């Protein structure tokens, strides 16, 4: 299982993650989500800090009031639903290799 699974928690159905990912990529680069997933995997910072960095990366890309509002909505969703991914999912050997294609 790769570290980056698209946008959405690992426990969400794949079809829902696909929809959320497409919606996210309409306005933001995949790099922000990949970095967020990697930070959750490494757990070298508190979850709140990781989530705030994710928000900041999205806001740097937000060029309109609509995209700024979307970034804030995604941040709220991450704060509301990301805890299980951060706290509950244990790291699996080989995830970093899969992320970097090794």
């Amino acid at each position: 299982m790769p570290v980056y699974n698209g946008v959405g928690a690992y426990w969400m159905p794949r079809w829902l993650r696909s929809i959320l990912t497409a919606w996210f990529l309409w306005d933001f680069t995949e790099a922000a989500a990949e970095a967020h997933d990697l930070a959750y995997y490494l757990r070298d910072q508190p979850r709140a800090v990781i989530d705030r960095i994710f928000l900041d990366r999205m806001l740097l890309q937000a060029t309109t009031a609509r995209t700024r509002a979307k970034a804030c909505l995604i941040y709220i969703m991450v704060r509301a639903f990301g805890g299980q991914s951060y706290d509950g999912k244990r790291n699996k050997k080989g995830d970093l290799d899969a992320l970097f294609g090794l």
Side-chain angles (χ1 to χ4, degrees):
M1 172 186 303
V3 173
Y4 173 68
N5 66 348
V7 176
Y10 77 95
W11 49 265
M12 291 178 170
R14 186 176 306 201
W15 64 266
L16 181 55
R17 286 195 320 263
S18 294
I19 292 170
L20 290 172
T21 299
W23 180 67
F24 177 86
L25 293 176
W26 188 264
D27 294 301
F28 306 110
T29 64
E30 196 169 41
E34 288 174 345
H36 183 259
D37 283 5
L38 180 60
Y40 264 36
Y41 175 86
L42 296 174
R43 290 182 188 86
D44 59 355
Q45 297 179 57
R47 181 174 161 245
V49 171
I50 294 169
D51 292 346
R52 181 56 203 231
I53 291 169
F54 182 47
L55 173 61
D56 291 343
R57 287 180 176 166
M58 289 186 292
L59 289 174
L60 284 173
Q61 298 174 44
T63 57
T64 65
R66 182 192 63 79
T67 54
R68 285 189 294 277
K70 182 176 178 178
C72 291
L73 176 62
I74 292 169
Y75 172 74
I76 290 167
M77 291 179 358
V78 164
R79 294 302 299 153
F81 301 110
Q84 187 175 359
S85 293
Y86 184 83
D87 297 327
K89 184 180 174 192
R90 293 295 120 208
N91 300 338
K92 303 221 183 278
K93 185 176 167 93
D95 282 354
L96 286 177
D97 290 344
L99 176 68
F100 294 110
L102 301 175

